């Protein structure tokens, strides 16, 4: 049986993976200094997404509150990533916005 919030869990895990890949890819960019905030937000976003997915999977009573915070961090990360032309940043921003939408819906 799939957990109640499987769509949101999937979005969180996809976002976390995109953020991890983006952070690592940013470290290999020409001007790493300009991407410091992007890398920091990628790491924060990946961590909160993994945690939110775990809370939902286990049916935690705090899952909804955590998803509210996850949505906020995902939006902030998506906004930062969308400032850069690199494909990994664009892909990450897309995953962040989708995850934010799923987390907002789940937390209603």
């Amino acid at each position: 049986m799939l957990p109640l919030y499987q769509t949101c869990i999937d979005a969180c895990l996809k976002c976390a993976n995109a953020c991890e890949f983006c952070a690592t890819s940013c470290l290999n960019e020409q001007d790493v200094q300009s991407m410091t905030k992007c890398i920091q937000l990628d790491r924060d976003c990946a961590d909160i997404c993994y945690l939110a997915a775990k809370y939902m999977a286990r049916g935690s009573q705090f899952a909804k509150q955590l998803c509210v915070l996850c949505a906020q961090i995902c939006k902030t990360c998506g906004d930062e990533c969308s400032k850069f032309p690199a494909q990994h940043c664009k892909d990450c921003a897309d995953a962040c916005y989708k995850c934010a939408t799923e987390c907002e819906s789940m937390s209603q």
Side-chain angles (χ1 to χ4, degrees), residues 20-102:
E20 293 284 4
F21 182 78
C22 186
T24 300
S25 298
C26 286
L27 290 170
N28 294 317
E29 291 291 335
Q30 201 86 34
D31 185 12
V32 177
Q33 278 307 116
S34 70
M35 304 184 100
T36 302
K37 187 173 181 184
C38 184
I39 295 164
Q40 291 170 336
L41 285 168
D42 282 338
R43 294 177 70 215
D44 284 351
C45 192
D47 286 348
I48 195 76
C49 285
Y50 285 132
L51 189 60
K54 288 179 189 180
Y55 273 48
M56 286 183 280
R58 70 175 68 132
S60 172
Q61 66 184 22
F62 302 107
K64 288 186 179 193
Q65 293 97 313
L66 194 60
C67 281
V68 169
L69 178 59
C70 187
Q72 292 172 345
I73 293 172
C74 284
K75 282 183 198 171
T76 303
C77 187
D79 289 347
E80 184 64 24
C81 284
S82 64
K83 294 177 183 177
F84 298 97
Q87 190 61 49
H88 58 84
C89 287
K90 291 178 184 179
D91 293 343
C92 187
D94 289 344
C96 286
Y97 292 138
K98 287 177 186 165
C99 187
T101 300
E102 286 295 331

